[in-house]
């Protein structure tokens, strides 16, 4: 009988500890308005935490902006870093004329090698 007494209890599913004497942290709801679909996303944060100015829209995933009162927060994107592409990085090291020159060199090398490979193949066919 003793081995049956634990039946029906799923570990982790619920706490057996009572909530008596537990003080819940103060929480505040923040509303974010989507810049794309205009739907609202409500997020709950700790009252003493700084809510971010933007959150991902729950409906479409676009940027949703924090609403304060009747208006939404202005978000300054001017400080955002624009991702550098490989091309941008290349241009920091080489000028366009230099790149043209390198391309010509490389093309000449590839053409020269292709020529020798083709000659070799033809040579092998002739000898076979
Ligand atoms: Zn949206």
């Amino acid at each position: 009988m003793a081995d049956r007494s634990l039946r029906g209890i799923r570990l982790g599913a619920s706490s057996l500890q009572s909530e008596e004497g537990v003080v819940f942290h103060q929480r505040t709801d923040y509303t974010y308005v989507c810049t794309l679909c205009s739907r609202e996303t409500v997020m709950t944060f700790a009252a003493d935490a700084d809510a971010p100015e933007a959150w991902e829209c729950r409906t479409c995933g676009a940027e949703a902006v924090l609403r304060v009162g009747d208006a939404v927060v202005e978000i300054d994107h001017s400080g955002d870093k624009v991702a550098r592409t490989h091309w941008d990085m290349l241009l920091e090291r080489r000028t366009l004329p230099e790149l043209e020159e390198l391309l010509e060199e490389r093309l000449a090398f590839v053409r020269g090698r292709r020529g020798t490979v083709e000659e070799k193949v033809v040579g092998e066919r002739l000898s076979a």
Side-chain angles (χ1 to χ4, degrees):
M1 204 63 190
D3 59 327
R4 290 182 155 201
S5 63
L6 284 175
R7 275 196 182 171
I9 296 178
R10 283 177 293 149
L11 290 177
S14 60
S15 172
L16 299 177
Q17 194 176 3
S18 83
E19 290 184 354
E20 203 178 317
V22 174
V23 179
F24 286 101
H25 207 86
Q26 282 292 321
R27 292 180 294 177
T28 309
D29 283 346
Y30 291 92
T31 303
Y32 292 88
V33 183
C34 181
T35 52
L36 204 69
C37 71
S38 301
R39 287 197 176 87
E40 293 182 351
T41 298
V42 178
M43 296 301 300
T44 305
F45 293 105
D48 56 354
D50 281 332
E53 291 185 327
W55 201 262
E56 192 176 281
C57 171
R58 269 192 187 151
T59 309
C60 73
E63 186 184 63
V65 182
L66 180 64
R67 193 177 70 193
V68 179
D70 290 335
V72 291
V73 168
E74 282 289 325
I75 293 183
D76 183 15
H77 281 293
S78 63
D80 289 3
K81 272 192 177 174
V82 179
R84 276 157 76 225
T85 62
H86 287 108
W87 177 243
D88 294 331
M89 289 182 233
L90 188 63
L91 286 180
E92 285 169 17
R93 296 196 308 267
R94 308 269 191 190
T95 63
L96 277 177
E98 276 175 348
L99 289 171
E100 291 284 352
E101 201 182 310
L102 284 170
L103 179 65
E104 275 311 312
E105 271 177 31
R106 191 69 201 166
L107 284 174
F109 172 75
V110 170
R111 281 177 193 135
R113 204 173 58 170
R114 186 184 294 157
T116 56
V117 169
E118 278 166 9
E119 281 161 24
K120 210 174 137 193
V121 170
V122 171
E124 279 168 6
R125 274 194 200 138
L126 289 177
S127 64

